[in-house]
Amino acid sequence: MIIQFSVGKLILSPYEVQARLDNGCQLYAMVDDIKFHDDALMLVADAGAVRWNIKLDSSEQLQEIKHELGIS
């Protein structure tokens, strides 16, 4: 599934999340390393030594991502 947002797109698979940003950056994380901060609309990837986060545009995007990844 692909979700467009203001600075690029997220590509979701059952095992991986890819963030392809309009500036050319590509970020990858395994689904097990993904967390959400609902109140801040943040998707956070934390794999120990590597950490990144993306601010989403809406709570609907956040809920759609959670649903697609099977995260409550």
Side-chain angles (χ1 to χ4, degrees), residues 17-29:
V17 174
Q18 296 180 33
R20 294 189 181 184
L21 306 181
D22 292 339
N23 66 4
C25 291
Q26 295 183 23
L27 307 169
Y28 300 85

Side-chain angles (χ1 to χ4, degrees), residues 20-62:
R20 294 189 181 184
L21 306 181
D22 292 339
N23 66 4
C25 291
Q26 295 183 23
L27 307 169
Y28 300 85
M30 301 304 294
V31 170
D32 292 343
D33 297 325
I34 297 291
K35 297 177 189 166
F36 297 93
H37 295 290
D38 292 358
D39 54 336
L41 300 177
M42 299 290 289
L43 178 149
V44 178
D46 187 354
V50 176
R51 182 180 171 130
W52 53 266
N53 60 64
I54 298 283
K55 180 157 179 68
L56 300 169
D57 300 328
S58 68
S59 59
E60 290 80 16
Q61 287 176 332
L62 189 72

Side-chain angles (χ1 to χ4, degrees), residues 31 34-38 62-63 65-72:
V31 170
I34 297 291
K35 297 177 189 166
F36 297 93
H37 295 290
D38 292 358
L62 189 72
Q63 294 307 316
I65 294 166
K66 285 181 169 184
H67 177 72
E68 184 69 25
L69 297 179
I71 299 172
S72 5

